[in-house]
Amino acid sequence: MQVRFFAAAAAAAECEATTSTASSLAELRDELVRTLPEAFAEVLPQCSYFVDGVRHEPAADCPLDGVSTVDVLPPFAGG
């Protein structure tokens, strides 16, 4: 699946996207912390996830079998 990063998450990851074969959102988070720059681990707990367009909270877990895209978004300011 494709994993896309936005705003501060992309800056901390030092890339806008990567790929993964993780089988769950929890496994994906662990993989990202292991493989991306250390600064990303500080941003990750604040991020929300959109799994094929469905929003999941930072601590949520869900299976990723058959998923094509996970978007990682930090909190946004504004109104």
Side-chain angles (χ1 to χ4, degrees):
M1 85 196 83
Q2 183 177 32
V3 182
R4 302 184 300 187
F5 308 106
F6 295 87
E14 298 180 4
C15 63
E16 292 184 1
T18 190
T19 58
S20 176
T21 59
S23 62
S24 71
L25 196 52
E27 184 180 320
L28 176 62
R29 285 191 299 263
D30 290 345
E31 176 184 312
L32 296 175
V33 168
R34 279 192 322 272
T35 60
L36 293 176
E38 187 175 320
F40 186 74
E42 296 174 21
V43 173
L44 191 61
Q46 302 169 42
C47 292
S48 294
Y49 305 89
F50 282 77
V51 177
D52 280 345
V54 177
R55 186 172 190 269
H56 292 269
E57 292 298 323
D61 195 15
C62 70
L64 298 177
D65 299 326
V67 168
S68 61
T69 305
V70 175
D71 294 328
V72 180
L73 294 94
F76 292 94

